[in-house]
Amino acid sequence: TDNLKKINKAVFQPSFKDFHQFSSDVLFDSIDLWFADMPNISKVTGFEYFSPSFRITLKGTFMGSGSENTKELDFSDYYCYFYYEMEGEYLPSTRDVNSTFMNSKYEKIILPSDQNAFYGVVIFDHMFDSCTSLKSIDNYMFDVLKLENANYMFNDCSLLDKIDIGAWNPSDYGKYSYMFNGCTSLEKIQCDFNTDWTTDFEGTSTNMFAGCRALTSLDLQNFDTSKVENMGAMFAGLMS
């Protein structure tokens, strides 16, 4: 509605602890698409009021949001304060950030400063896909325990000039196709791939760096591709 489009800030209240959504047999706290296509939304706070029994999904939460008048999104307050157990380890319960900011109009997005904020996420595909106005992402150097899917994560972020990624551990079979495809202004990608990447990585990386024509620095010394199934056009269109 028109009234929703006027909202520029959202604050979750204590009563939100009673919010429930179910997916299969697992409790999920889905805020999928909640702030999608809202041109004025610039800040969301109050995540401490989510229930500790939930896994949080952020699929398409800010898809298509932002505008010429709202160029910055402050998402720094976000943190999944509660944990669930997987394979004997306790992880922050955020599991899926598929298309969270896809097609948004923001020039700047501020993520949480805590490097463990997305530690338990396995699905990052299309997270910033087609954010063609995006010039900077604050605090995006976060650690990831078991990455499974980063297809199109930064696809067509044509104004980003630098990306520093934290310690990422790939799963046994991962998808990384078009991850940086079309990042035409990107001069440097710093990837701190865990050593597990070299021993267990088995998946696809087609067009992973395709079209990164401004790229001048790319450190892949720990990137062992001996088990990768498909590397087609991985470096297509590199000019430097």
Side-chain angles (χ1 to χ4, degrees):
T1 67
D2 290 339
N3 286 333
L4 286 176
K5 290 182 178 181
K6 296 178 182 178
I7 296 174
N8 58 27
K9 183 178 180 180
V11 182
F12 294 115
Q13 301 296 324
S15 59
F16 219 76
K17 288 186 177 181
D18 298 327
F19 173 72
H20 291 270
Q21 287 193 16
F22 291 88
S23 178
S24 302
D25 295 326
V26 182
L27 273 172
F28 279 81
D29 185 357
S30 166
I31 55 174
D32 302 345
L33 299 171
W34 276 28
F35 307 104
D37 296 317
M38 294 178 65
N40 295 310
I41 193 71
S42 61
K43 188 170 185 176
V44 181
T45 62
F47 289 98
E48 66 268 27
Y49 297 123
F50 281 68
S51 169
S53 62
F54 290 162
R55 300 185 190 183
I56 298 176
T57 64
L58 301 170
K59 293 183 286 187
T61 302
F62 297 96
M63 183 185 292
S65 294
S67 65
E68 291 184 0
N69 296 322
T70 306
K71 298 181 179 181
E72 180 173 310
L73 174 66
D74 186 350
F75 198 50
S76 60
D77 186 65
Y78 177 76
Y79 188 74
C80 186
Y81 295 85
F82 310 111
Y83 293 72
Y84 71 94
E85 185 176 3
M86 184 180 77
E87 298 179 359
E89 296 193 53
Y90 285 88
L91 309 177
S93 63
T94 310
R95 287 286 285 167
D96 191 337
V97 292
N98 178 353
S99 306
T100 302
F101 307 103
M102 183 178 179
N103 289 322
S104 64
K105 315 301 191 300
Y106 302 109
E107 293 184 4
K108 181 178 181 178
I109 296 175
I110 306 173
L111 295 179
S113 59
D114 193 313
Q115 286 190 223
N116 290 321
F118 298 108
Y119 190 63
V121 176
V122 295
I123 300 173
F124 285 91
D125 64 316
H126 300 277
M127 187 178 184
F128 300 99
D129 188 2
S130 300
C131 291
T132 55
S133 299
L134 190 61
K135 297 179 180 180
S136 65
I137 307 171
D138 283 10
N139 305 323
Y140 55 78
M141 190 172 177
F142 42 81
D143 295 344
V144 178
L145 178 69
K146 197 170 185 179
L147 178 66
E148 291 182 2
N149 190 339
N151 283 346
Y152 295 88
M153 184 174 179
F154 298 100
N155 179 60
D156 282 339
C157 289
S158 55
L159 297 182
L160 278 180
D161 60 6
K162 182 180 70 172
I163 295 176
D164 292 328
I165 292 176
W168 288 25
N169 300 304
S171 63
D172 292 342
Y173 189 91
K175 300 175 182 178
Y176 312 100
S177 295
Y178 295 87
M179 187 174 178
F180 305 101
N181 177 68
C183 293
T184 54
S185 300
L186 203 58
E187 298 179 0
K188 181 179 180 181
I189 303 173
Q190 182 64 44
C191 301
D192 182 12
F193 296 119
N194 185 276
T195 53
D196 287 342
W197 191 285
T198 65
T199 57
D200 297 329
F201 178 63
E202 183 176 341
T204 59
S205 58
T206 58
N207 294 80
M208 187 173 182
F209 304 101
C212 295
R213 60 190 184 208
L215 198 62
T216 59
S217 177
L218 185 61
D219 184 0
L220 296 177
Q221 59 180 337
N222 291 325
F223 196 95
D224 184 351
T225 58
S226 61
K227 295 183 179 181
V228 178
E229 292 184 354
N230 191 339
M231 294 171 56
M234 187 172 176
F235 302 100
L238 268 67
M239 306 291 290
S240 299

